[in-house]
């Protein structure tokens, strides 16, 4: 989830907080890597929102539907990142309105 842009209100979207269909099709169940954040220094939050892949690389924990466990609310309606200040670099880098955003919204039927 990124910043607000006039046409793209992240708080009524959340599409990029779910594992993209392409990843799922390829069997890639690890979505965003946890880096560029102090999240790993917070034991409670780490336990709740971080999982390690077979190589020991930390990723955001996904729920069974592929949504980031830190996201609350309903996609395309009203959502909120519960670790917004500690979200990984990958979340902060994604700009509302960029191609990956447009693709994520399309996949989730938003717009
Ligand atoms: S897909 Fe785009 S509009 Fe939706 S939450 Fe992500 S950055 Fe924001
Ligand atoms: S950490 Fe927050 S912004 Fe990043 S994918 Fe999860 S809910 Fe979305």
């Amino acid at each position: 989830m990124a910043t607000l842009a006039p046409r793209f209100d992240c708080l009524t979207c959340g599409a990029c907080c779910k594992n993209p269909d392409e990843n799922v099709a390829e069997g890639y169940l690890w979505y965003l890597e946890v880096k560029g954040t102090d999240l790993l220094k917070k034991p409670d939050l780490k336990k709740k929102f971080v999982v390690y892949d077979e190589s020991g690389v930390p990723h955001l924990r996904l729920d069974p539907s592929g949504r980031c466990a830190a996201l609350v609310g309903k996609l395309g309606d009203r959502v909120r990142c519960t670790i917004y200040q500690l979200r990984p670099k990958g979340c902060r880098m994604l700009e509302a309105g960029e191609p990956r955003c447009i693709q994520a919204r399309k996949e989730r039927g938003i717009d």
Side-chain angles (χ1 to χ4, degrees), residues 1-3 8-11 13-17 79 94-97 100-102 104-105 110:
M1 192 182 294
T3 51
F8 303 101
D9 178 4
C10 295
L11 295 175
C13 178
C16 64
C17 301
V79 292
L94 203 157
E95 294 280 344
R100 285 179 302 163
C101 160
I102 306 283
R105 289 173 66 99
I110 299 167

Side-chain angles (χ1 to χ4, degrees), residues 2-38:
T3 51
L4 287 181
R7 254 195 77 213
F8 303 101
D9 178 4
C10 295
L11 295 175
T12 59
C13 178
C16 64
C17 301
K18 187 169 180 179
N19 200 10
D21 288 349
E22 188 184 1
N23 280 358
V24 176
E26 290 173 0
Y28 188 73
L29 301 178
W30 310 105
Y31 183 28
L32 276 160
E33 188 176 333
V34 177
K35 59 182 179 183
T37 165
D38 283 339

Side-chain angles (χ1 to χ4, degrees), residues 90-107:
C91 306
R92 286 183 272 121
M93 295 293 288
L94 203 157
E95 294 280 344
E98 71 163 74
R100 285 179 302 163
C101 160
I102 306 283
Q103 177 66 24
R105 289 173 66 99
K106 197 172 157 195
E107 283 180 10

